[in-house]
Amino acid sequence: DPGTLSEPWQTLGKLATMFASLNDGDVVVIEPGVTHDSSVTPLLFSGKRFGSLVKFIMGGGGLGTKPSITGSDAAVGVTLTNVSNLQISDWEIHHALNYGLATTLVSDILVHGFEVRDIIGVGIGFSYYDQDLDEGRDFIVEHCYVHDTTGDGTTSISAIRTQVRYCHFENHGVGQASNLVDGTAFHG
């Protein structure tokens, strides 16, 4: 499968394995209702610093069931490592053991419209940034709903120029959220 509109990749796992083959400015359309079990195949997007924004968007005009990633017995639902200039929109991540979405060494990332739920630990975790990058390190989380997380909390952020905006957090454990701007709701 070449990953084109006429011959698309059939799974999110295939997208992860082909991630390094994407080019600057690519738009990846993910059909509504696609599912992935990270306990069978971890969903790791790694080692690609794009020169211009690459987008993962949901097809069907954003209508329908969001692509769904279950963590099942996996420590993490989705991992981004050593990635820049990426936008991911409209995913659901649930039932992971430590993190719903975990990031390491990322810059210029936009996470939009996610629902992260039923996580034993952190819903969305930003654990480390690359201090040697001279340019943007922005990590933006917007219009997300993070709920029913336990353990260490809902959102843990330790990154430069991180923004969490227009998000809703509820039913979480000890949780922390920092750099909250632009109408973020944080409910205990």
Side-chain angles (χ1 to χ4, degrees), residues 42-168:
L43 201 52
L44 169 64
F45 298 96
S46 179
K48 188 71 176 198
R49 295 195 174 272
F50 298 105
S52 61
L53 188 64
V54 169
K55 298 179 181 182
F56 295 174
I57 63 172
M58 188 172 85
L63 302 175
T65 304
K66 292 180 180 187
S68 178
I69 296 96
T70 183
S72 242
D73 294 325
V76 179
V78 178
T79 304
L80 302 176
T81 300
N82 196 22
V83 173
S84 66
N85 281 318
L86 180 65
Q87 173 185 326
I88 306 176
S89 298
D90 300 311
W91 286 13
E92 176 190 49
I93 304 171
H94 56 94
H95 293 98
L97 297 180
N98 296 328
Y99 292 92
L101 172 65
T103 67
T104 303
L105 296 170
V106 298
S107 64
D108 299 310
I109 303 293
L110 172 62
V111 173
H112 174 88
F114 273 43
E115 179 180 357
V116 182
R117 64 178 174 82
D118 300 312
I119 305 297
I120 300 172
V122 177
I124 301 174
F126 316 91
S127 59
Y128 185 75
Y129 61 90
D130 187 344
Q131 299 179 35
D132 296 326
L133 289 177
D134 292 330
E135 297 186 13
R137 297 178 196 137
D138 294 323
F139 197 114
I140 299 171
V141 176
E142 67 181 13
H143 301 285
C144 293
Y145 180 35
V146 182
H147 62 97
D148 298 306
T149 63
T150 62
D152 292 335
T154 303
T155 304
S156 175
I157 302 171
S158 61
I160 292 177
R161 292 194 330 240
T162 298
Q163 297 179 48
V164 178
R165 51 191 191 198
Y166 305 110
C167 291
H168 184 78

Side-chain angles (χ1 to χ4, degrees), residues 12-27:
L12 292 174
K14 179 71 171 187
L15 172 60
T17 61
M18 299 302 293
F19 182 69
S21 72
L22 296 176
N23 297 306
D24 293 351
D26 278 353
V27 175

